[in-house]
Amino acid sequence: MKNGLAAVEGSLDYGLILCPSCNEIVDTLPTNRVKIFHSLCDSPRCREAAADSGLNYAPPTRPAAGEGERP
């Protein structure tokens, strides 16, 4: 079994970030198994299609009430 630094050096990019509009690979990230995430690419066509369909992939400008607060 690998420990700390050795595990990080040997990690592979099994995670994929896919654009839900055009299915292009936006980026990869190191994960311990295959994982698929969705995020819009930088294509204006994809951004316009998402806006027209009512999808909002932009990050929220501020957290919703109660989120991020600790009791």
Side-chain angles (χ1 to χ4, degrees), residues 5 18 32 34 40 53 63 67 70:
L5 187 57
L18 298 177
N32 58 353
V34 175
L40 286 175
S53 67
E67 290 185 4
R70 294 189 144 203

Side-chain angles (χ1 to χ4, degrees), residues 18-60:
L18 298 177
C19 176
S21 182
C22 65
N23 290 321
E24 290 292 320
I25 297 174
V26 176
D27 203 357
T28 61
L29 46 130
T31 59
N32 58 353
R33 60 185 171 145
V34 175
K35 293 182 184 179
I36 299 175
F37 303 94
H38 293 93
S39 180
L40 286 175
C41 65
D42 290 332
S43 167
R45 185 177 56 92
C46 293
R47 299 258 176 203
E48 289 172 9
D52 291 344
S53 67
L55 295 176
N56 184 9
Y57 281 90

